[in-house]
Amino acid sequence: MTVLLTSDADGVRTLTLNRPHRKNAIDAELWEALRAALVEAGEDRSVRALVLTGAGGAFCSGADISQRVSGAHPLYRMRTLTEVTLALHELPVPTVAKVTGIAVGAGWNLALGCDLVVATEEARFAQIFARRGLSPDCGGSWLLPRLVGLQQAKRLALLAETIDAEEARALNLVTWVVDTGTVDAFVDGLTARLVASAPVALAQTKALLNEGAEHTLREALASEARAQAVNFATADVPEAYAAFAEKRDAHFTGRWAVPGRTAGRSEDKT
């Protein structure tokens, strides 16, 4: 059985965790497949948005603790989890978690690592680590305080409570809660809007927001100035202006629009 399903449609790549018999608990094979798939998605310019979801009515029940543990030191085993988390966080395209059923432990933190989270009404969430004698991983200790504040983060992590989709939304851990029957159409519409946007500008915006919590205002302003310089070097800015003037939808490509040097021209002297 293929543990990670990959599909592409209209610029959207969907990665589906496919171990439904274990509620998509992630074993060593799936961790490796997920790492490779995220790196590949980041390098594929045809991918304009990414959806992470699970098969069989569950998102992910966390790491598969039923799997036989190898003799390697836990720090080495954790390296793959670290690389998956960073690859997801640093992916230059918008990411959407489509959560049906349970999302617990590392599975929930993978969802939180996405830029947007769409959950169905029956979705359930838990930072289950404390019940397993463990502490949060996959970025949970970094993500939770930034999303809900320190006190609520401690409540979720220390008590390992299970919360429903509506409470998760109230805590800013879910972006939208939708009916199960409409979740696919909702995510399709959402990703279509993302794909229609300027890809370079979205990548710059995502990076600015991710970095902003760690920056001073002065540092953030400097980063914004650099990002705008990158944006103005694409064909998307003049296309947006033209579309506005012509009262039509813009067609964004992310194409580099700075003229190159004339062939045969000697290098400038300094």
Side-chain angles (χ1 to χ4, degrees):
M1 182 180 69
T2 303
V3 296
L4 183 68
L5 305 177
T6 303
S7 63
D8 292 294
D10 301 321
V12 180
R13 178 159 296 174
T14 299
L15 302 180
T16 303
L17 309 178
N18 189 40
R19 300 186 73 230
H21 60 292
R22 296 288 302 162
K23 294 185 178 179
N24 302 318
I26 308 178
D27 62 359
E29 181 185 6
L30 183 48
W31 281 120
E32 291 289 348
L34 191 55
R35 174 173 61 178
L38 290 170
V39 170
E40 182 181 350
E43 296 174 347
D44 189 340
R45 291 182 60 190
S46 70
V47 176
R48 300 275 290 268
L50 182 136
V51 175
L52 182 63
T53 192
F59 182 77
C60 177
S61 59
D64 192 344
I65 61 174
S66 71
Q67 190 179 47
R68 188 174 182 178
V69 177
S70 71
H73 192 283
L75 282 177
Y76 293 109
R77 299 200 301 271
M78 289 298 296
R79 185 173 296 165
T80 304
L81 279 70
T82 297
E83 291 172 353
V84 167
T85 303
L86 286 174
L88 179 63
H89 182 75
E90 295 174 354
L91 206 66
V93 300
T95 55
V96 179
K98 181 167 66 174
V99 180
T100 59
I102 64 168
V104 302
W108 189 10
N109 289 337
L110 285 176
L112 294 178
C114 292
D115 302 314
L116 302 167
V117 180
V118 181
T120 57
E121 294 170 326
E122 79 276 11
R124 296 293 181 270
F125 305 87
Q127 291 289 321
I128 204 166
F129 302 97
R131 296 189 218 168
R132 305 289 184 257
L134 298 169
S135 50
D137 56 27
C138 281
S141 65
W142 188 88
L143 288 162
L144 281 172
R146 284 161 175 78
L147 292 168
V148 303
L150 184 58
Q151 190 173 69
Q152 287 294 339
K154 288 180 177 178
R155 168 209 159 190
L156 293 168
L158 297 177
L159 297 178
E161 296 176 337
T162 298
I163 64 173
D164 62 21
E166 287 296 345
E167 183 172 2
R169 178 169 60 178
L171 289 170
N172 295 321
L173 297 169
V174 164
T175 322
W176 296 278
V177 177
V178 300
D179 181 75
T180 304
T182 63
V183 64
D184 291 339
F186 184 92
V187 171
D188 288 346
L190 173 62
T191 52
R193 291 164 58 192
L194 293 169
V195 168
S197 297
V200 173
L202 288 190
Q204 296 298 310
T205 299
K206 175 175 175 175
L208 287 170
L209 294 173
N210 281 344
E211 297 163 1
E214 308 301 317
H215 284 178
T216 64
L217 176 58
R218 184 176 296 275
E219 291 168 335
L221 290 169
S223 294
E224 289 174 357
R226 288 191 294 269
Q228 293 295 41
V230 172
N231 294 329
F232 276 112
T234 70
D236 289 342
V237 174
E239 165 63 9
Y241 291 177
F244 176 77
E246 297 165 14
K247 295 181 172 57
R248 61 172 175 82
D249 292 335
H251 176 62
F252 295 119
T253 63
R255 184 171 56 84
W256 178 253
V258 175
R261 293 182 181 275
T262 303
R265 178 181 173 183
S266 62
E267 292 294 320
D268 294 336
K269 302 297 184 181
T270 58

